[in-house]
């Protein structure tokens, strides 16, 4: 519930009981529910008015798509995921496995090659 655990929810209930008292708590909860319903109704009406004002071209418009996180996920990451999932994988590697060149090891007391122009 809104990212709250049982302890936080219980603490909020106890605080509500202390602030409103057991007699007025049901009335306060009812008023909070009505307010939440009115806010939802206003948000839905605003969204519907926006869709109506934009015209039939934007019937599938969702204001949540304007959130940068959703925008990036929808337009960039979904395409990458589709490409990743739709590309056929061959069971054999395309190239031979990498084998490193043998490295000349320096003996005790030898200095590595030094290029004076590199520094």
């Amino acid at each position: 519930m809104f990212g709250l655990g049982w302890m936080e929810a219980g603490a909020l209930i106890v605080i509500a009981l202390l602030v409103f008292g057991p007699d007025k708590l049901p009335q306060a909860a009812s008023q909070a529910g009505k307010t939440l319903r009115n806010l939802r109704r206003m948000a839905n009406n605003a969204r519907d008015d926006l869709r109506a004002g934009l015209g039939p071209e934007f019937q599938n418009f969702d204001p949540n798509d304007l959130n940068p996180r959703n925008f990036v996920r929808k337009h960039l990451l979904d395409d990458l995921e589709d490409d990743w999932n739709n590309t056929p994988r061959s069971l054999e590697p395309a190239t031979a496995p990498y084998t490193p060149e043998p490295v000349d090891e320096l003996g005790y007391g030898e200095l590595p090659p030094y290029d004076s122009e590199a520094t």
Side-chain angles (χ1 to χ4, degrees):
M1 175 172 81
F2 303 114
L4 297 175
W6 290 105
M7 294 295 289
E8 291 90 0
L12 288 175
I13 291 172
V14 169
I15 291 171
L17 277 171
L18 292 175
V19 170
F20 295 110
D23 297 336
K24 295 198 178 190
L25 185 61
Q27 293 171 353
S30 172
Q31 184 64 31
K34 288 177 186 177
T35 303
L36 185 60
R37 277 192 298 275
N38 287 336
L39 287 173
R40 283 186 187 157
R41 187 178 310 121
M42 287 176 16
N44 288 337
N45 287 340
R47 186 182 63 228
D48 293 341
D49 289 345
L50 180 64
R51 283 185 180 163
L54 290 175
E57 300 90 26
F58 296 98
Q59 285 299 319
N60 294 332
F61 173 72
D62 186 15
N64 290 330
D65 290 341
L66 298 177
N67 182 343
R69 181 179 294 165
N70 294 339
F71 182 83
V72 168
R73 183 180 300 130
K74 181 178 180 182
H75 293 287
L76 297 177
L77 299 180
D78 285 348
D79 293 340
L80 290 174
E81 187 175 307
D82 290 343
D83 291 344
W84 180 265
N85 290 333
N86 291 334
T87 54
R89 294 185 185 173
S90 97
L91 297 175
E92 299 175 15
T95 60
Y98 173 74
T99 55
E101 296 287 326
V103 178
D104 294 334
E105 293 187 22
L106 295 175
Y108 180 75
E110 287 185 66
L111 294 175
Y114 177 74
D115 185 7
S116 62
E117 295 177 7
T119 57

